[in-house]
Structure formats: structure tokens, C-alpha cells
Amino acid sequence: MAHPKDTRIKARNMYVQTRCAIPTISAALDVPEGTLRKWKGDAKQSGDDWDIARAAATMKGEGLETMVSAVIEDFTVMFQVTMEQVKEDPDIKPDSKVKLMASLSDSFNKMVLAAGRSAPKLNEMAIAMDVVKRLAEFIAGEFPQHGTAFQEILEPFGTEIVKVYQT
């Protein structure tokens, strides 16, 4: 299905100016994610790199702290999507899910710590995420039978942590 040119322009603006993720743009404009990725790739080949434009727009208007926060926000979305995929996959056993969750939490924690060095106001969030990571590791090692319950609680709790510590 061909989409009007203004839909492509709206998609680019949503991506660059409001930092929407591809899945969000897809849902908002009723355009398949694959089509959006193709548009983005075609634009890059033509000299219009949406990612560079996005970074420039962020730096221009908001400065380093906001840009670091945006990176954390993007990573958080990926983290949540991956956690959801792990949660929904019936082929992954509970003890393996706990290990995957601990690994994801570790990656998230490292990213937040690095961001905290760049933007000190984010340091509190880094500490909170370290506590969550350590809890995931503790449960995986000492109480693997509670992995499913922990997994069920972790995602909504992560949302609460972001609300409390967001800059």
C-alpha cells in the first residue's frame, strides 16, 4: 500500500523532533514498522540521516542532560520490550528467565551508571537500578523458584522507579 508523502514527513518529524520510537510511529500513523525502516534507510542513502538529525535536534534544544535522559529513555523502551519478550516466551524455563532478567538488569545498570557520569542528576536512578540488579542476582542464586513472581513484579516496579528518579 502506497502512503502519501505527508505521512513520510510526519514519520520523520515524529522520529526526529519528538523522539518517538519506530513502533510508536507505526501505531500512530498505521504504517508497518518495516516500511518506516525502509523510509529511514532510503532517506539516509539520499543524505538525510534521521538519527543524525535526531541527535542534532536534541542537542540544539535541550543540552547534554536531556540528551542523556533521552538515551536512557530509548534504552528503557528496548529493555521493557525485551523483558516482555522473555516473559512471554513459553520455551524459556523460569530459572533461565531469571538469569536473562539479571543479565538485562546488569546491562541496564551499566548504561545508567555511564549516563550518570555524564549527567550527575541521573546518579540516583543509577543507584536504584543497581539495587534492582543485585536483587535479581540474589533471587537467581538463592531463590530461583521465585523467578516467575519476580519477573511479574519487576516490569511494573521499573516503571515506578523511573517515575520517582526521573530528572
Side-chain angles (χ1 to χ4, degrees):
M1 172 180 151
H3 297 279
K5 185 176 181 178
D6 71 308
T7 302
R8 187 182 295 225
I9 292 168
K10 285 179 189 174
R12 183 191 187 280
N13 286 339
M14 289 176 75
Y15 187 84
V16 171
Q17 300 300 327
T18 59
R19 300 192 51 78
C20 290
I22 295 288
T24 304
I25 299 168
S26 173
L29 300 179
D30 195 27
V31 175
E33 288 182 39
T35 300
L36 291 168
R37 292 183 202 293
K38 182 176 180 344
W39 290 351
K40 188 174 172 246
D42 291 348
K44 185 174 184 175
Q45 295 233 332
S46 300
D48 178 20
D49 189 323
W50 292 11
D51 291 316
I52 291 173
R54 183 182 203 171
T58 301
M59 287 178 70
K60 174 185 162 203
E62 301 166 0
L64 180 63
E65 289 245 340
T66 301
M67 190 169 75
V68 171
S69 292
V71 169
I72 290 175
E73 183 179 327
D74 289 348
F75 192 90
T76 301
V77 169
M78 289 188 288
F79 175 81
Q80 289 174 329
V81 167
T82 305
M83 289 294 269
E84 191 63 33
Q85 289 171 342
V86 168
K87 185 166 93 175
E88 292 176 0
D89 191 331
D91 297 329
I92 303 174
K93 295 184 181 203
D95 61 330
S96 295
K97 286 184 181 190
V98 170
K99 289 177 186 171
L100 286 169
M101 290 167 36
S103 177
L104 285 168
S105 295
D106 183 51
S107 295
F108 188 84
N109 184 54
K110 286 176 182 174
M111 190 276 310
V112 172
L113 286 170
R117 287 184 214 111
S118 299
K121 287 170 69 178
L122 300 173
N123 198 36
E124 288 181 353
M125 182 182 242
I127 293 168
M129 293 313 301
D130 183 56
V131 170
V132 171
K133 174 190 152 268
R134 291 173 190 272
L135 178 61
E137 291 169 351
F138 180 77
I139 290 171
E142 301 294 324
F143 299 97
Q145 70 275 17
H146 296 300
T148 303
F150 178 69
Q151 173 187 346
E152 209 173 299
I153 294 166
L154 183 61
E155 187 176 344
F157 182 67
T159 302
E160 290 301 312
I161 284 179
V162 170
K163 284 180 194 173
V164 171
Y165 293 102
Q166 100 187 119
T167 59

